[in-house]
Amino acid sequence: DAKTTQPPSMDCAEGRAANLPCNHSTISGNEYVYWYRQIHSQGPQYIIHGLKNNETNEMASLIITEDRKSSTLILPHATLRDTAVYYCIPHVAGGGNKLTFGTGTQLKVEL
Amino acid sequence: GAVVSQHPSRVICKSGTSVKIECRSLDFQATTMFWYRQFPKKSLMLMATSNEGSKATYEQGVEKDKFLINHASLTLSTLTVTSAHPEDSSFYICSAPPPGFEAFFGQGTRLTVV
């Protein structure tokens, strides 16, 4: 699995956009970039994934660089409930494959 | 969306006893489920892959005789921590990927061995 580098922590003011970067320079051609988050003492939650095009859903937007070596998860209007650890995980799409979690980014949203 | 239910959410047991944790896929069938362990302020570490109808596959360093996994049906996998010791205290999380979809995770089980 491709290794990832994420900043250990970030702060964001409530209502502002949170931009979480991830470097995945060794990502394989068949690996998607997945983002999960884990709120304290809960199981991880799927957010979004993409291969090479930018993606958007009701939770977030995902921007992937053209060379696919890095990506940015954008929470457009962060709320206090978005405080969590965010994990960027290169992964082959579809079920049946185990996920390898890195250290992630602890996002703290404050008033 | 797909739901994975884990039970119990919290358990305290005495050292030397065994504890069983259940992981259920509520609205889909899962031939494969995964068990993770997470120590405080650490990331999730995969312990084993639970395979319906066959033996589980354990990650390196995980004792298969201590962490017994049973995947007897397409909707249920169980993890039994046998002869638990304080160092087994951790947050245990299961996940199940619906066919062709992203993984869904249980709520986690906080195990405290006293």
Side-chain angles (χ1 to χ4, degrees):
Chain A
D1 294 338
K3 292 193 183 300
T4 60
T5 303
Q6 296 179 255
S9 63
M10 293 182 67
D11 294 332
C12 178
E14 189 177 36
R16 307 297 286 265
N19 298 296
L20 296 105
C22 179
N23 286 325
H24 35 76
S25 58
T26 60
I27 192 169
S28 300
N30 64 343
E31 287 183 314
Y32 286 65
V33 180
Y34 279 76
W35 284 82
Y36 285 80
R37 73 179 182 183
Q38 185 181 24
I39 295 170
H40 183 64
S41 293
Q42 296 183 21
Q45 176 190 22
Y46 164 80
I47 302 173
I48 197 168
H49 74 285
L51 184 63
K52 52 185 177 181
N53 296 324
N54 298 337
E55 301 288 344
T56 296
N57 63 19
E58 65 277 7
M59 291 184 68
S61 294
L62 175 60
I63 308 297
I64 303 173
T65 58
E66 193 169 341
D67 63 7
R68 301 209 327 122
K69 292 184 177 181
S70 65
S71 61
T72 301
L73 179 74
I74 301 172
L75 307 178
H77 305 286
T79 70
L80 298 179
R81 288 185 292 182
D82 292 322
T83 292
V85 178
Y86 287 78
Y87 297 97
C88 158
I89 306 175
H91 185 58
V92 176
N97 296 300
K98 57 190 179 184
L99 294 172
T100 301
F101 286 81
T103 53
T105 296
Q106 170 68 65
L107 175 68
K108 186 176 181 181
V109 182
E110 301 172 305
L111 292 172
Chain B
V3 178
V4 174
S5 177
Q6 195 172 333
H7 178 81
S9 58
R10 188 179 296 268
V11 59
I12 301 173
C13 72
K14 291 185 177 181
S15 185
T17 63
S18 296
V19 174
K20 179 184 286 188
I21 303 169
E22 294 186 347
C23 180
R24 294 181 184 274
S25 56
L26 297 186
D27 54 2
F28 65 96
Q29 294 182 330
T31 56
T32 303
M33 293 186 181
F34 302 99
W35 287 96
Y36 295 82
R37 178 169 55 181
Q38 185 176 34
F39 291 106
K41 299 189 184 300
K42 299 293 185 182
S43 188
L44 285 78
M45 295 297 294
L46 181 68
M47 298 177 64
T49 302
S50 175
N51 304 299
E52 189 270 333
S54 64
K55 291 182 178 181
T57 305
Y58 291 82
E59 296 298 302
Q60 192 172 9
V62 177
E63 301 174 58
K64 62 180 181 180
D65 295 330
K66 181 170 183 62
F67 299 99
L68 300 180
I69 291 173
N70 185 286
H71 196 149
S73 77
L74 288 170
T75 59
L76 174 64
S77 175
T78 60
L79 169 68
T80 301
V81 183
T82 63
S83 186
H85 288 96
E87 57 265 31
D88 299 322
S89 298
S90 188
F91 192 52
Y92 292 85
I93 306 166
C94 70
S95 82
F101 288 88
E102 297 67 48
F104 290 88
F105 289 82
Q107 310 94 310
T109 298
R110 176 76 58 193
L111 171 63
T112 303
V113 184
V114 298

Short mmCIF file of all heavy atoms in Angstrom, two decimals, chain A residues 34-85:
data_model
loop_
_atom_site.label_atom_id
_atom_site.label_comp_id
_atom_site.label_asym_id
_atom_site.label_seq_id
_atom_site.Cartn_x
_atom_site.Cartn_y
_atom_site.Cartn_z
N TYR A 34 -8.91 7.48 -0.66
CA TYR A 34 -10.06 7.44 0.23
C TYR A 34 -9.79 8.35 1.44
O TYR A 34 -8.67 8.47 1.91
CB TYR A 34 -10.30 6.03 0.75
CG TYR A 34 -11.04 5.13 -0.20
CD1 TYR A 34 -10.42 4.57 -1.31
CD2 TYR A 34 -12.39 4.83 0.01
CE1 TYR A 34 -11.11 3.75 -2.18
CE2 TYR A 34 -13.09 4.01 -0.84
CZ TYR A 34 -12.44 3.48 -1.94
OH TYR A 34 -13.13 2.67 -2.79
N TRP A 35 -10.85 8.96 1.90
CA TRP A 35 -10.78 9.73 3.14
C TRP A 35 -11.82 9.19 4.12
O TRP A 35 -13.00 9.02 3.77
CB TRP A 35 -11.02 11.21 2.89
CG TRP A 35 -9.84 11.91 2.27
CD1 TRP A 35 -9.48 11.95 0.96
CD2 TRP A 35 -8.87 12.70 2.97
NE1 TRP A 35 -8.34 12.69 0.80
CE2 TRP A 35 -7.95 13.18 2.00
CE3 TRP A 35 -8.69 13.06 4.32
CZ2 TRP A 35 -6.86 13.99 2.35
CZ3 TRP A 35 -7.62 13.86 4.66
CH2 TRP A 35 -6.72 14.32 3.68
N TYR A 36 -11.35 8.94 5.33
CA TYR A 36 -12.22 8.55 6.43
C TYR A 36 -11.95 9.51 7.59
O TYR A 36 -10.89 10.14 7.66
CB TYR A 36 -11.92 7.13 6.91
CG TYR A 36 -12.42 6.04 6.00
CD1 TYR A 36 -11.73 5.68 4.84
CD2 TYR A 36 -13.59 5.34 6.30
CE1 TYR A 36 -12.20 4.67 4.01
CE2 TYR A 36 -14.06 4.33 5.48
CZ TYR A 36 -13.36 4.01 4.34
OH TYR A 36 -13.83 3.00 3.53
N ARG A 37 -12.89 9.59 8.49
CA ARG A 37 -12.63 10.35 9.71
C ARG A 37 -13.11 9.54 10.92
O ARG A 37 -13.98 8.68 10.81
CB ARG A 37 -13.33 11.70 9.69
CG ARG A 37 -14.83 11.68 9.88
CD ARG A 37 -15.38 13.10 9.85
NE ARG A 37 -16.82 13.13 10.07
CZ ARG A 37 -17.54 14.25 10.03
NH1 ARG A 37 -16.94 15.42 9.76
NH2 ARG A 37 -18.84 14.22 10.24
N GLN A 38 -12.51 9.84 12.06
CA GLN A 38 -12.85 9.14 13.28
C GLN A 38 -13.07 10.17 14.39
O GLN A 38 -12.11 10.83 14.82
CB GLN A 38 -11.75 8.15 13.69
CG GLN A 38 -12.15 7.32 14.91
CD GLN A 38 -11.06 6.34 15.33
OE1 GLN A 38 -9.88 6.54 15.04
NE2 GLN A 38 -11.46 5.28 16.01
N ILE A 39 -14.30 10.29 14.77
CA ILE A 39 -14.64 11.11 15.92
C ILE A 39 -14.25 10.33 17.17
O ILE A 39 -14.34 9.09 17.18
CB ILE A 39 -16.12 11.49 15.90
CG1 ILE A 39 -16.40 12.37 14.68
CG2 ILE A 39 -16.56 12.18 17.19
CD1 ILE A 39 -17.86 12.63 14.40
N HIS A 40 -13.85 11.03 18.19
CA HIS A 40 -13.33 10.40 19.39
C HIS A 40 -14.23 9.28 19.91
O HIS A 40 -15.43 9.47 20.08
CB HIS A 40 -13.13 11.45 20.48
CG HIS A 40 -12.52 10.91 21.73
ND1 HIS A 40 -11.24 10.39 21.77
CD2 HIS A 40 -13.01 10.78 22.97
CE1 HIS A 40 -10.98 9.99 22.99
NE2 HIS A 40 -12.03 10.21 23.75
N SER A 41 -13.60 8.10 20.14
CA SER A 41 -14.28 6.94 20.70
C SER A 41 -15.41 6.40 19.82
O SER A 41 -16.36 5.79 20.33
CB SER A 41 -14.81 7.24 22.10
OG SER A 41 -13.75 7.44 23.00
N GLN A 42 -15.29 6.62 18.52
CA GLN A 42 -16.25 6.03 17.58
C GLN A 42 -15.48 5.29 16.49
O GLN A 42 -14.28 5.46 16.33
CB GLN A 42 -17.13 7.11 16.95
CG GLN A 42 -18.04 7.83 17.94
CD GLN A 42 -18.94 8.83 17.25
OE1 GLN A 42 -19.20 8.74 16.05
NE2 GLN A 42 -19.42 9.79 18.01
N GLY A 43 -16.18 4.48 15.71
CA GLY A 43 -15.56 3.84 14.57
C GLY A 43 -15.38 4.85 13.44
O GLY A 43 -16.07 5.87 13.38
N PRO A 44 -14.44 4.59 12.54
CA PRO A 44 -14.23 5.51 11.40
C PRO A 44 -15.47 5.62 10.52
O PRO A 44 -16.29 4.70 10.45
CB PRO A 44 -13.07 4.85 10.64
CG PRO A 44 -12.35 4.05 11.67
CD PRO A 44 -13.44 3.54 12.57
N GLN A 45 -15.56 6.75 9.84
CA GLN A 45 -16.68 7.05 8.96
C GLN A 45 -16.15 7.40 7.59
O GLN A 45 -15.25 8.24 7.46
CB GLN A 45 -17.49 8.22 9.53
CG GLN A 45 -18.64 8.69 8.66
CD GLN A 45 -19.23 10.00 9.17
OE1 GLN A 45 -18.59 10.76 9.88
NE2 GLN A 45 -20.47 10.27 8.79
N TYR A 46 -16.70 6.79 6.57
CA TYR A 46 -16.30 7.10 5.19
C TYR A 46 -16.73 8.52 4.84
O TYR A 46 -17.82 8.96 5.19
CB TYR A 46 -16.95 6.10 4.23
CG TYR A 46 -16.94 6.53 2.78
CD1 TYR A 46 -15.79 6.37 2.01
CD2 TYR A 46 -18.06 7.10 2.19
CE1 TYR A 46 -15.77 6.77 0.67
CE2 TYR A 46 -18.05 7.50 0.87
CZ TYR A 46 -16.91 7.32 0.11
OH TYR A 46 -16.90 7.73 -1.20
N ILE A 47 -15.84 9.24 4.14
CA ILE A 47 -16.19 10.60 3.71
C ILE A 47 -16.34 10.66 2.20
O ILE A 47 -17.40 11.02 1.67
CB ILE A 47 -15.12 11.62 4.15
CG1 ILE A 47 -14.94 11.62 5.67
CG2 ILE A 47 -15.50 13.02 3.66
CD1 ILE A 47 -13.79 12.48 6.14
N ILE A 48 -15.28 10.32 1.48
CA ILE A 48 -15.27 10.51 0.04
C ILE A 48 -14.10 9.75 -0.55
O ILE A 48 -13.17 9.37 0.17
CB ILE A 48 -15.17 12.03 -0.28
CG1 ILE A 48 -15.58 12.35 -1.71
CG2 ILE A 48 -13.76 12.55 0.01
CD1 ILE A 48 -15.76 13.85 -1.96
N HIS A 49 -14.13 9.48 -1.84
CA HIS A 49 -12.97 8.91 -2.49
C HIS A 49 -12.93 9.37 -3.95
O HIS A 49 -13.97 9.79 -4.51
CB HIS A 49 -12.95 7.38 -2.40
CG HIS A 49 -13.94 6.68 -3.28
ND1 HIS A 49 -15.30 6.63 -3.01
CD2 HIS A 49 -13.77 5.97 -4.43
CE1 HIS A 49 -15.91 5.93 -3.94
NE2 HIS A 49 -15.02 5.52 -4.82
N GLY A 50 -11.75 9.28 -4.55
CA GLY A 50 -11.60 9.67 -5.94
C GLY A 50 -10.38 9.01 -6.55
O GLY A 50 -9.47 8.58 -5.83
N LEU A 51 -10.36 8.97 -7.87
CA LEU A 51 -9.23 8.38 -8.58
C LEU A 51 -8.31 9.47 -9.13
O LEU A 51 -7.13 9.51 -8.78
CB LEU A 51 -9.73 7.50 -9.72
CG LEU A 51 -8.65 6.74 -10.49
CD1 LEU A 51 -7.93 5.76 -9.57
CD2 LEU A 51 -9.25 6.01 -11.68
N LYS A 52 -8.84 10.32 -9.99
CA LYS A 52 -8.02 11.42 -10.50
C LYS A 52 -8.83 12.69 -10.71
O LYS A 52 -8.26 13.78 -10.72
CB LYS A 52 -7.31 11.03 -11.79
CG LYS A 52 -8.19 10.45 -12.88
CD LYS A 52 -7.33 10.00 -14.06
CE LYS A 52 -8.17 9.35 -15.14
NZ LYS A 52 -7.33 8.89 -16.28
N ASN A 53 -10.12 12.56 -10.86
CA ASN A 53 -10.96 13.75 -10.98
C ASN A 53 -11.36 14.26 -9.60
O ASN A 53 -11.43 13.50 -8.64
CB ASN A 53 -12.21 13.44 -11.78
CG ASN A 53 -11.90 13.04 -13.21
OD1 ASN A 53 -10.98 13.57 -13.81
ND2 ASN A 53 -12.67 12.11 -13.73
N ASN A 54 -11.61 15.54 -9.52
CA ASN A 54 -12.10 16.09 -8.27
C ASN A 54 -13.51 15.56 -8.00
O ASN A 54 -14.28 15.32 -8.93
CB ASN A 54 -12.10 17.62 -8.35
CG ASN A 54 -10.71 18.17 -8.54
OD1 ASN A 54 -9.72 17.53 -8.21
ND2 ASN A 54 -10.63 19.37 -9.09
N GLU A 55 -13.80 15.37 -6.75
CA GLU A 55 -15.09 14.82 -6.36
C GLU A 55 -15.74 15.68 -5.28
O GLU A 55 -15.04 16.31 -4.48
CB GLU A 55 -14.93 13.39 -5.81
CG GLU A 55 -14.30 12.40 -6.78
CD GLU A 55 -15.21 12.00 -7.92
OE1 GLU A 55 -16.44 12.24 -7.82
OE2 GLU A 55 -14.69 11.44 -8.92
N THR A 56 -17.05 15.67 -5.28
CA THR A 56 -17.80 16.41 -4.26
C THR A 56 -19.01 15.60 -3.85
O THR A 56 -19.68 15.00 -4.70
CB THR A 56 -18.26 17.78 -4.79
OG1 THR A 56 -17.12 18.59 -5.07
CG2 THR A 56 -19.11 18.51 -3.76
N ASN A 57 -19.28 15.57 -2.56
CA ASN A 57 -20.53 15.00 -2.08
C ASN A 57 -21.08 15.90 -0.98
O ASN A 57 -20.58 17.02 -0.77
CB ASN A 57 -20.36 13.54 -1.62
CG ASN A 57 -19.41 13.39 -0.45
OD1 ASN A 57 -19.12 14.35 0.28
ND2 ASN A 57 -18.92 12.18 -0.26
N GLU A 58 -22.08 15.42 -0.28
CA GLU A 58 -22.72 16.27 0.72
C GLU A 58 -21.82 16.56 1.92
O GLU A 58 -22.10 17.47 2.69
CB GLU A 58 -24.03 15.61 1.19
CG GLU A 58 -23.85 14.29 1.93
CD GLU A 58 -23.69 13.10 1.02
OE1 GLU A 58 -23.60 13.31 -0.22
OE2 GLU A 58 -23.66 11.96 1.53
N MET A 59 -20.78 15.79 2.08
CA MET A 59 -19.89 15.99 3.23
C MET A 59 -18.69 16.87 2.90
O MET A 59 -18.27 17.69 3.73
CB MET A 59 -19.39 14.66 3.77
CG MET A 59 -20.43 13.80 4.43
SD MET A 59 -19.71 12.31 5.14
CE MET A 59 -18.72 12.98 6.47
N ALA A 60 -18.10 16.65 1.72
CA ALA A 60 -16.81 17.29 1.46
C ALA A 60 -16.51 17.31 -0.03
O ALA A 60 -17.24 16.74 -0.84
CB ALA A 60 -15.72 16.51 2.19
N SER A 61 -15.42 17.99 -0.35
CA SER A 61 -14.86 17.97 -1.70
C SER A 61 -13.46 17.41 -1.63
O SER A 61 -12.76 17.58 -0.61
CB SER A 61 -14.82 19.38 -2.30
OG SER A 61 -16.12 19.87 -2.50
N LEU A 62 -13.07 16.73 -2.69
CA LEU A 62 -11.74 16.14 -2.77
C LEU A 62 -11.06 16.67 -4.02
O LEU A 62 -11.60 16.52 -5.13
CB LEU A 62 -11.84 14.61 -2.83
CG LEU A 62 -10.54 13.84 -3.04
CD1 LEU A 62 -9.55 14.12 -1.91
CD2 LEU A 62 -10.83 12.34 -3.14
N ILE A 63 -9.90 17.27 -3.80
CA ILE A 63 -9.11 17.79 -4.91
C ILE A 63 -7.86 16.93 -5.03
O ILE A 63 -7.10 16.80 -4.06
CB ILE A 63 -8.69 19.26 -4.67
CG1 ILE A 63 -9.92 20.12 -4.33
CG2 ILE A 63 -7.95 19.81 -5.89
CD1 ILE A 63 -10.95 20.20 -5.44
N ILE A 64 -7.65 16.33 -6.19
CA ILE A 64 -6.49 15.48 -6.43
C ILE A 64 -5.62 16.15 -7.47
O ILE A 64 -6.12 16.57 -8.52
CB ILE A 64 -6.93 14.08 -6.92
CG1 ILE A 64 -7.88 13.43 -5.91
CG2 ILE A 64 -5.71 13.18 -7.14
CD1 ILE A 64 -8.49 12.12 -6.37
N THR A 65 -4.32 16.24 -7.20
CA THR A 65 -3.43 16.87 -8.16
C THR A 65 -3.32 16.02 -9.42
O THR A 65 -3.57 14.81 -9.40
CB THR A 65 -2.03 17.08 -7.56
OG1 THR A 65 -1.52 15.80 -7.15
CG2 THR A 65 -2.08 18.02 -6.37
N GLU A 66 -2.92 16.66 -10.50
CA GLU A 66 -2.89 15.97 -11.80
C GLU A 66 -1.94 14.78 -11.77
O GLU A 66 -2.21 13.75 -12.40
CB GLU A 66 -2.46 16.96 -12.89
CG GLU A 66 -2.69 16.43 -14.30
CD GLU A 66 -2.52 17.53 -15.34
OE1 GLU A 66 -2.58 18.72 -14.99
OE2 GLU A 66 -2.32 17.16 -16.52
N ASP A 67 -0.83 14.90 -11.04
CA ASP A 67 0.11 13.78 -10.95
C ASP A 67 -0.30 12.75 -9.90
O ASP A 67 0.38 11.74 -9.72
CB ASP A 67 1.54 14.28 -10.69
CG ASP A 67 1.67 14.99 -9.35
OD1 ASP A 67 0.71 14.98 -8.56
OD2 ASP A 67 2.73 15.58 -9.10
N ARG A 68 -1.39 13.01 -9.21
CA ARG A 68 -1.97 12.12 -8.19
C ARG A 68 -1.05 11.90 -6.99
O ARG A 68 -1.27 10.99 -6.21
CB ARG A 68 -2.35 10.77 -8.80
CG ARG A 68 -3.34 10.86 -9.91
CD ARG A 68 -4.26 9.67 -10.10
NE ARG A 68 -3.69 8.38 -9.78
CZ ARG A 68 -4.20 7.55 -8.89
NH1 ARG A 68 -5.28 7.86 -8.19
NH2 ARG A 68 -3.63 6.36 -8.67
N LYS A 69 -0.06 12.72 -6.83
CA LYS A 69 0.84 12.51 -5.71
C LYS A 69 0.36 13.17 -4.43
O LYS A 69 0.93 12.95 -3.35
CB LYS A 69 2.24 13.02 -6.07
CG LYS A 69 2.91 12.19 -7.15
CD LYS A 69 4.34 12.64 -7.42
CE LYS A 69 5.00 11.74 -8.44
NZ LYS A 69 6.41 12.13 -8.71
N SER A 70 -0.66 13.98 -4.52
CA SER A 70 -1.21 14.58 -3.32
C SER A 70 -2.68 14.92 -3.53
O SER A 70 -3.17 14.95 -4.67
CB SER A 70 -0.43 15.83 -2.91
OG SER A 70 -0.59 16.84 -3.89
N SER A 71 -3.35 15.14 -2.42
CA SER A 71 -4.76 15.51 -2.50
C SER A 71 -5.11 16.40 -1.31
O SER A 71 -4.35 16.47 -0.33
CB SER A 71 -5.67 14.27 -2.51
OG SER A 71 -5.50 13.50 -1.34
N THR A 72 -6.24 17.06 -1.42
CA THR A 72 -6.73 17.91 -0.34
C THR A 72 -8.21 17.63 -0.11
O THR A 72 -9.00 17.64 -1.06
CB THR A 72 -6.55 19.40 -0.67
OG1 THR A 72 -5.17 19.67 -0.89
CG2 THR A 72 -7.06 20.28 0.47
N LEU A 73 -8.54 17.38 1.13
CA LEU A 73 -9.95 17.23 1.51
C LEU A 73 -10.43 18.59 1.99
O LEU A 73 -9.78 19.23 2.82
CB LEU A 73 -10.10 16.22 2.64
CG LEU A 73 -11.53 16.00 3.14
CD1 LEU A 73 -12.32 15.19 2.11
CD2 LEU A 73 -11.54 15.32 4.49
N ILE A 74 -11.57 19.03 1.48
CA ILE A 74 -12.11 20.32 1.85
C ILE A 74 -13.47 20.15 2.52
O ILE A 74 -14.39 19.57 1.94
CB ILE A 74 -12.26 21.24 0.63
CG1 ILE A 74 -10.91 21.44 -0.06
CG2 ILE A 74 -12.85 22.59 1.03
CD1 ILE A 74 -10.99 22.17 -1.38
N LEU A 75 -13.55 20.62 3.76
CA LEU A 75 -14.85 20.73 4.43
C LEU A 75 -15.26 22.18 4.29
O LEU A 75 -14.66 23.06 4.90
CB LEU A 75 -14.72 20.34 5.91
CG LEU A 75 -14.07 18.99 6.22
CD1 LEU A 75 -13.99 18.78 7.73
CD2 LEU A 75 -14.82 17.87 5.57
N PRO A 76 -16.26 22.49 3.48
CA PRO A 76 -16.50 23.89 3.09
C PRO A 76 -16.93 24.80 4.23
O PRO A 76 -16.56 25.97 4.25
CB PRO A 76 -17.60 23.77 2.03
CG PRO A 76 -18.23 22.44 2.25
CD PRO A 76 -17.15 21.55 2.79
N HIS A 77 -17.67 24.29 5.17
CA HIS A 77 -18.13 25.10 6.30
C HIS A 77 -18.02 24.24 7.57
O HIS A 77 -18.98 23.60 7.98
CB HIS A 77 -19.57 25.57 6.10
CG HIS A 77 -19.80 26.30 4.81
ND1 HIS A 77 -19.35 27.59 4.60
CD2 HIS A 77 -20.39 25.91 3.66
CE1 HIS A 77 -19.69 27.97 3.38
NE2 HIS A 77 -20.31 26.96 2.79
N ALA A 78 -16.84 24.23 8.14
CA ALA A 78 -16.59 23.34 9.27
C ALA A 78 -17.46 23.69 10.48
O ALA A 78 -17.71 24.88 10.77
CB ALA A 78 -15.12 23.39 9.66
N THR A 79 -17.93 22.66 11.16
CA THR A 79 -18.68 22.85 12.40
C THR A 79 -17.94 22.13 13.53
O THR A 79 -17.01 21.34 13.29
CB THR A 79 -20.10 22.29 12.29
OG1 THR A 79 -20.03 20.85 12.24
CG2 THR A 79 -20.81 22.80 11.05
N LEU A 80 -18.38 22.38 14.74
CA LEU A 80 -17.74 21.75 15.89
C LEU A 80 -17.79 20.22 15.78
O LEU A 80 -16.88 19.52 16.23
CB LEU A 80 -18.40 22.21 17.19
CG LEU A 80 -18.32 23.70 17.51
CD1 LEU A 80 -19.05 24.01 18.81
CD2 LEU A 80 -16.88 24.17 17.59
N ARG A 81 -18.85 19.70 15.15
CA ARG A 81 -19.00 18.26 15.03
C ARG A 81 -18.03 17.65 14.02
O ARG A 81 -17.95 16.42 13.90
CB ARG A 81 -20.44 17.92 14.64
CG ARG A 81 -21.43 18.13 15.78
CD ARG A 81 -22.82 17.66 15.40
NE ARG A 81 -23.41 18.49 14.36
CZ ARG A 81 -24.63 18.31 13.87
NH1 ARG A 81 -25.38 17.32 14.31
NH2 ARG A 81 -25.11 19.10 12.94
N ASP A 82 -17.31 18.50 13.29
CA ASP A 82 -16.30 18.00 12.37
C ASP A 82 -14.96 17.75 13.06
O ASP A 82 -14.02 17.30 12.42
CB ASP A 82 -16.11 18.98 11.20
CG ASP A 82 -17.34 19.03 10.29
OD1 ASP A 82 -17.95 17.97 10.06
OD2 ASP A 82 -17.68 20.15 9.84
N THR A 83 -14.87 18.08 14.33
CA THR A 83 -13.64 17.80 15.07
C THR A 83 -13.43 16.28 15.11
O THR A 83 -14.29 15.54 15.60
CB THR A 83 -13.74 18.36 16.50
OG1 THR A 83 -13.76 19.79 16.44
CG2 THR A 83 -12.56 17.90 17.35
N ALA A 84 -12.31 15.83 14.57
CA ALA A 84 -12.06 14.40 14.41
C ALA A 84 -10.65 14.20 13.89
O ALA A 84 -9.97 15.16 13.52
CB ALA A 84 -13.07 13.77 13.44
N VAL A 85 -10.24 12.94 13.81
CA VAL A 85 -9.00 12.58 13.13
C VAL A 85 -9.37 12.17 11.71
O VAL A 85 -10.25 11.34 11.51
CB VAL A 85 -8.25 11.44 13.84
CG1 VAL A 85 -6.98 11.08 13.06
CG2 VAL A 85 -7.91 11.83 15.27
#
